[in-house]
Amino acid sequence: MRFETLEQLADICRQENKTIAEVMLEDQARETGVSREEVFRQMAEYYGVMKEAVRQGLTGNTKSRSGLTGGDAKKVSDYMQQSETSLGGPAAEAMAYALAVSEVNASMGRIIATPTAGSCGIIPGVFVSAQERFGWEDEHLVKGLFCAGAIGYVIANNASISGAEGGCQAEVGSAIGMAAGAMVELRGGTAQQAVHAVGLALKNCLGLICDPVAGLVEIPCIVRNGLGAVTALAASDMALAGVGSVIPADEVIGVMLEVGSAMPAKHRETGKGGLAQTPTGRKLTKELVEQRRRKAKEAKAPAKED
Amino acid sequence: MRFKNVFSIIGPSMVGPSSSHTAGAVRIGRVARQLLGSQPETAKMTLFGSFAETYWGHGTDLALTAGLMDYETDDQRIPQADVLAEEAGMTLEWVQGRGNGPHPNSVKILLTGGGRTAEIVAASIGGGTIAVYSLNGFDVQITGEYPTLAVKHSDSQGVLANMTALLSRDGYNIGYMDVDRKGRSGDAMTVFELDSAPEESTIQAIRKLPHIKEVTMIDLTKRS
């Protein structure tokens, strides 16, 4: 790719009078030797999977295999029908959709990792709700995914998109930054404004630890996806209003790396600290282990190695 | 740059819940199945580290089984893979390994089927990316990212030169290769990660070279 930082990306957009999405699509086609049409087709297919996951999460059974989670998106969606939300309709909708996709993931449904499975709800939550609200064609949202991908590409290469490496800020945080920046571009903001949105969003995610109960992609991952969608919308609004990230987005990404590297191992997807080690977290883990033993006994597996 | 592709950020398309414990596990299962070359009759999975600790909640067992059925990471039959495998006549055995294995998320798979056996040791190293550490007891590393030729041969002078010459003649670029031998003049294994999948004629030509015992194609890039 021709860019390593968000500043370079915004410069290219300014000089060539292109959107972030156009630059990403061009660079991807050139780097991989695959035609632009084929690259676009692939991304469009992914967007189709995202929309289907939203639908599935709102209407289907999303009970996870562990039995710990499922059905929360439906609760929020029903509540929205029945009463005025504190957030306001569109943001609550984005939250419900993000929860929906995240619950589909936990229940072994099909999703697109954006950038990971643990953070797969945020971008579809923001995108699909915005599409319905603004009446955009699919093609517009597919371009938005290229914009989100370009932002994620910079974060992944300069910090991390892995909870085991950099905590939840690297997964949910990255997804929020990607969704915020993409939302700005989808609504006609400049590349520079999109980059500001990334900076604003990431600042609010710094230090977020990865502490899943029983090591599963459920508690607290699912609610963090729901809340993450709301943060992304808020950051995009600030940027579209002209608010800038005083600390440039690239420098915030640098802090993400600094904080992620300094995070103790127990807060990086090991289940050895944070929410996973609260009294309730430990109790749930213990119950799951016992449940698994019971089921394993029934299915005569797994035995200890002899 | 660790990430070079927009689809490593947006993607893969997968069945949840975890890119490492589910999507990566499917890909490991597929490598084992393709190494065997047919549907396994029996499969023994020895799980290590986090795979052993959290496999159940993550559906790692279903994902590995799905891979043995040659499913892709986004196949919606993955949650029922255990039942479907049983219906297909596969006998599965799960064992908790001692110690950590070569990586916190690793598995040893032993397959039998069609009068053959296949064994791999592999790990899921994040984001659906895998590392295979050994094939049929030979310490050769592959990633599954590229069409891969695994060739068992005797450790004789000129075998490698013959194979690379043939691949070059037929227009295939080798991105990575690895060799391991049991001992001087004993059995050896060479793996080639290629930029594009070789035609059947090229594979046949390699089979006919002197000292070649077995040629297997492992290709996770091909939609099954």
Side-chain angles (χ1 to χ4, degrees), chain A residues 114-303:
Chain A
T114 51
T116 61
S119 56
C120 68
I122 293 161
I123 289 174
V126 168
F127 276 44
V128 177
S129 61
Q131 178 175 25
E132 290 172 1
R133 180 171 161 214
F134 296 109
W136 291 329
E137 299 290 332
D138 277 359
E139 195 176 305
H140 190 56
L141 283 302
V142 176
K143 285 180 189 160
L145 288 179
F146 282 101
C147 176
I151 295 163
Y153 169 84
V154 171
I155 298 173
N157 282 313
N158 292 289
S160 171
I161 52 167
S162 151
E165 280 176 12
C168 193
Q169 56 165 9
E171 296 205 18
V172 158
S174 298
I176 295 171
M178 290 158 66
M183 188 63 182
V184 167
E185 189 159 283
L186 284 170
R187 299 203 60 208
T190 64
Q192 191 59 61
Q193 282 176 314
V195 169
H196 276 305
V198 178
L200 293 165
L202 290 184
K203 277 193 261 188
N204 202 42
C205 305
L206 291 174
L208 195 60
I209 59 173
C210 180
D211 49 354
V213 170
L216 305 179
V217 191
E218 299 191 40
I219 303 168
C221 320
I222 295 172
V223 291
R224 282 187 188 156
N225 273 266
L227 294 166
V230 178
T231 304
L233 288 175
S236 75
D237 268 338
M238 278 195 201
L240 283 166
V243 177
S245 180
V246 175
I247 309 296
D250 289 313
E251 294 182 28
V252 181
I253 293 170
V255 179
M256 235 176 103
L257 177 63
E258 176 205 317
V259 173
S261 308
M263 233 176 238
K266 66 177 181 177
H267 294 148
R268 285 188 281 115
E269 210 180 333
T270 54
K272 294 196 168 124
L275 297 168
Q277 288 300 326
T278 53
T280 304
R282 283 208 302 271
K283 180 172 142 272
L284 291 172
T285 306
K286 198 168 156 237
E287 283 169 10
L288 273 181
V289 170
E290 278 161 14
Q291 181 191 344
R292 192 187 80 193
R293 276 212 194 102
R294 260 199 320 276
K295 298 225 174 179
K297 218 179 246 173
E298 287 163 21
K300 60 183 190 308

Side-chain angles (χ1 to χ4, degrees), chain B residues 177-198:
Chain B
M177 66 178 280
D178 198 2
V179 190
D180 186 37
R181 63 177 181 185
K182 293 290 181 199
R184 211 179 259 200
S185 306
D187 279 343
M189 165 87 82
T190 299
V191 290
F192 300 95
E193 289 190 335
L194 303 170
D195 285 342
S196 54

